[in-house]
Amino acid sequence: MTTTPVHLETVLHWIDGAPAASSGAETAEIPDPATGRAVRAVALGGTDIVDRAVASARAAAGAWAATPSPARATILLAFRALLVEHGEELASIITAEQGKTLADARGEVARSIEAVEVAASAVQQLKGEYAEQVSRGVDTYSFRQPLGVCAGITPFNFPVMVPVSMFAAAIACGNAFVLKPSERVPSASVRLAEFLAQAGLPGGVFNVVHGGVDAVHALIDHPDVAAISFVGSTPVAREIYRRSAAAGKKVQALGGANNHLVVMPDADLDAAADALVSAAYGAAGQRCMAITVAVAVGDVADQLVAKTAQRAEAFRTGPGDAEGSDMGPLISKAAVERVRGALDAAEGQGGRVVVDGRAAEAPGSGYFIGPSLVDHVTTDSKLYRDEIFGPVLSVVRVDDLDEALRVVNASPYGNGASIFTASGAASRHFAHHVRAGSVGINVPIPVPISWFGFGGWGDSRFGDDGLNYDAYRFYTRGKVVTQRWTEPRRGVRPNFVAAGSQ
Ligand code: NAD
């Protein structure tokens, strides 16, 4: 934390439909990960700014909830059109602060647009059920209503997609929203807020506060915030879940991951190696659904390692906006040190570093490290157990599918898992028995389209409902109405009786 040098533009909060400054002067510098140089600064808010944002959201929530859902959808569709029109600009903002390649950033924008499309159909998601004549002249129906003010706390690795997947659903359901994006990638959120305002969203329905732990705690502890959505690392997710639940809030807290891809002896090994390299090193491994472990079954390992190594060596590391880069830098110098440390430890614990990202030439002074492939990794090693969140793929060798499943299912995380095989029976067995929220069959990163729910098992998610399609349940609460409009009167009946005799 520092006082901003005068030459750096400061990213402001967004409250009541307009930019807002904090009363204090506390800011953090935001480096471009490709150069390590500060490109702008961000205001760091605490309780004061959170109070202002929540008050604005609370004031707007009632009228927004009363706005007919098709009218809310019209605004979301206008927002979608702005995302399409400004997709390239958003991708550039993502790349400048997060570091991923422009092609990958464009993919993130495309998935965000998809989430808005689902949100625009929220009339469907909010529909209830109706049971006629549950007693004489009595019908029962159910529907869902918004919660009021919801808050989202998001990670650095998807500066657009994760926030959009939260707030598009929350707003579509009739809630007001306060977003606390990662302080490392703050600019995209403010641009999204501008697009929402341009699309016709009333002031106060969507607010952005920047900050760190203080802002997060202020949001969780605020009595006017009804629900907390969190996406980030597992230790923080666990703590957010505890604190929110203790405050009596609805909470969903998605955490970290270590995702496995099982390669069966009958798999197309070239397709599997392509998938491993894309899923392990794409976005420099900074995806919660990155594949971090290849589980090589039977005699497939030597060939698989050779094919994967060949591709990893050809994978080009460079600035995200440079032509030909397959992956960009990591988010920080500390992240590079963490990856280096994990590789050093792996060597000491029996791992064989086949492709060594530490040796890759780093372009300039950015936070670069090349792709690494480590064979013969054991499940008790640090490299295997920790979430490294960098471009490192471990290979674990097993004898058969049952052993592969035992390895995958012993992981405390359960975000995603994939299998590559030519066997329908093996893939069905895997899909049925694997402990993970998203499963891939001959697909490297099984992130479902937004029309399905998304969220892991185990330490990858605390709380019940996930994101995307599941979020419509999270951002609403149910009400069940039992009604009678018919005569005759039945008189006073003091006893609790079976429905049919009422
Ligand atoms: P992080 O946990 O460090 O930070 C996430 C958010 O929490 C940020 O907004 C940050 O300001 C805030 N925060 C950080 N420490 C906090 C604390 N002690 N108390 C309260 N708030 C705190 O995560 P990150 O490094 O920004 O993101 C990477 C992590 O997110 C990885 O672990 C990745 O697997 C995970 N992730 C998970 C999913 C998923 O769907 N499960 C999706 C994307 C990222």
Side-chain angles (χ1 to χ4, degrees), residues 153-157 180-184 213 216 230-233 236 240 254-257 288 387 389 415 454 460:
I153 299 139
T154 52
F156 79 81
N157 63 329
K180 205 300 286 174
S182 168
E183 63 277 33
R184 298 194 269 186
V213 180
V216 173
F230 172 85
V231 175
S233 58
V236 181
I240 297 273
L254 280 69
C288 68
E387 185 190 31
F389 221 55
N415 218 29
F454 177 74
S460 294

Side-chain angles (χ1 to χ4, degrees), residues 205-415:
V205 176
F206 179 71
N207 306 277
V208 180
V209 293
H210 299 294
V213 180
D214 290 350
V216 173
H217 287 175
L219 277 169
I220 295 175
D221 298 344
H222 199 296
D224 290 337
V225 174
I228 299 288
S229 298
F230 172 85
V231 175
S233 58
T234 287
V236 181
R238 189 184 277 115
E239 191 44 41
I240 297 273
Y241 178 71
R242 281 202 191 113
R243 192 173 181 122
S244 306
K249 312 250 152 127
K250 229 179 164 182
V251 52
Q252 51 177 190
L254 280 69
N258 260 339
N259 306 306
H260 298 68
L261 190 151
V262 174
V263 183
M264 296 294 287
D266 61 1
D268 175 339
L269 288 192
D270 286 303
D274 287 343
L276 282 171
V277 166
S278 316
Y281 309 133
Q286 297 177 123
R287 292 179 182 137
C288 68
M289 288 291 279
I291 294 294
T292 55
V293 185
V295 184
V297 178
D299 59 4
V300 87
D302 287 345
Q303 254 191 298
L304 184 69
V305 168
K307 285 178 183 290
T308 307
Q310 192 190 20
R311 286 160 173 78
E313 273 155 4
F315 211 76
R316 290 152 303 177
T317 305
D321 60 0
E323 196 67 36
S325 295
D326 292 316
M327 73 178 207
L330 296 189
I331 189 67
S332 63
K333 196 159 183 273
V336 175
E337 294 311 318
R338 184 181 65 234
V339 173
R340 283 184 175 278
L343 289 166
D344 293 347
E347 282 177 317
Q349 293 186 297
R352 192 168 70 82
V353 180
V354 180
V355 178
D356 192 344
R358 293 167 297 187
E361 226 171 87
S365 53
Y367 311 137
F368 291 97
I369 189 160
S372 295
L373 177 65
V374 188
D375 197 2
H376 297 283
V377 171
T378 56
T379 55
D380 56 357
S381 63
K382 187 172 161 51
L383 176 62
Y384 180 83
R385 287 196 328 267
D386 293 354
E387 185 190 31
I388 305 300
F389 221 55
V392 182
L393 177 65
S394 300
V395 179
V396 172
R397 296 171 176 237
V398 299
D399 289 336
D400 54 28
L401 179 55
D402 284 338
E403 191 184 353
L405 270 166
R406 277 198 296 279
V407 166
V408 178
N409 289 345
S411 166
Y413 302 103
N415 218 29

Side-chain angles (χ1 to χ4, degrees), residues 26-266:
E26 216 168 37
T27 58
E29 287 184 357
I30 305 162
D32 172 351
T35 63
R37 280 194 299 275
V39 283
R40 54 187 74 84
V42 61
L44 293 176
T47 309
D48 286 3
I49 203 78
V50 166
D51 285 350
R52 278 172 60 193
V54 175
S56 164
R58 190 177 173 208
W64 183 243
T67 303
S69 40
R72 299 199 294 253
T74 302
I75 291 173
L76 284 163
L77 286 172
F79 174 60
R80 179 197 177 277
L82 288 165
L83 292 185
V84 172
E85 187 187 333
H86 296 275
E88 205 51 31
E89 179 200 341
L90 272 178
S92 298
I93 294 173
I94 294 170
T95 296
E97 289 183 0
Q98 201 276 352
K100 66 178 70 173
T101 64
L102 274 173
D104 202 36
R106 287 183 192 117
E108 175 174 349
V109 174
R111 293 307 295 261
S112 312
I113 289 169
E114 181 189 285
V116 178
E117 286 161 1
V118 177
S121 70
V123 174
Q124 171 69 22
Q125 282 87 278
L126 297 176
K127 272 178 174 170
E129 294 176 315
Y130 198 104
E132 189 197 26
Q133 192 72 351
V134 294
S135 181
R136 292 194 186 284
V138 175
D139 306 327
T140 299
Y141 63 93
S142 67
F143 54 91
R144 302 195 69 79
Q145 293 186 316
L147 304 173
V149 179
C150 302
I153 299 139
T154 52
F156 79 81
N157 63 329
F158 284 107
V160 172
M161 188 183 76
V162 173
V164 168
S165 70
M166 290 179 184
F167 72 68
I171 287 173
C173 291
N175 300 289
F177 200 85
V178 181
L179 172 68
K180 205 300 286 174
S182 168
E183 63 277 33
R184 298 194 269 186
V185 291
S187 297
S189 304
V190 179
R191 196 69 183 113
L192 294 170
E194 289 168 353
F195 292 151
L196 284 168
Q198 210 178 321
L201 191 76
V205 176
F206 179 71
N207 306 277
V208 180
V209 293
H210 299 294
V213 180
D214 290 350
V216 173
H217 287 175
L219 277 169
I220 295 175
D221 298 344
H222 199 296
D224 290 337
V225 174
I228 299 288
S229 298
F230 172 85
V231 175
S233 58
T234 287
V236 181
R238 189 184 277 115
E239 191 44 41
I240 297 273
Y241 178 71
R242 281 202 191 113
R243 192 173 181 122
S244 306
K249 312 250 152 127
K250 229 179 164 182
V251 52
Q252 51 177 190
L254 280 69
N258 260 339
N259 306 306
H260 298 68
L261 190 151
V262 174
V263 183
M264 296 294 287
D266 61 1

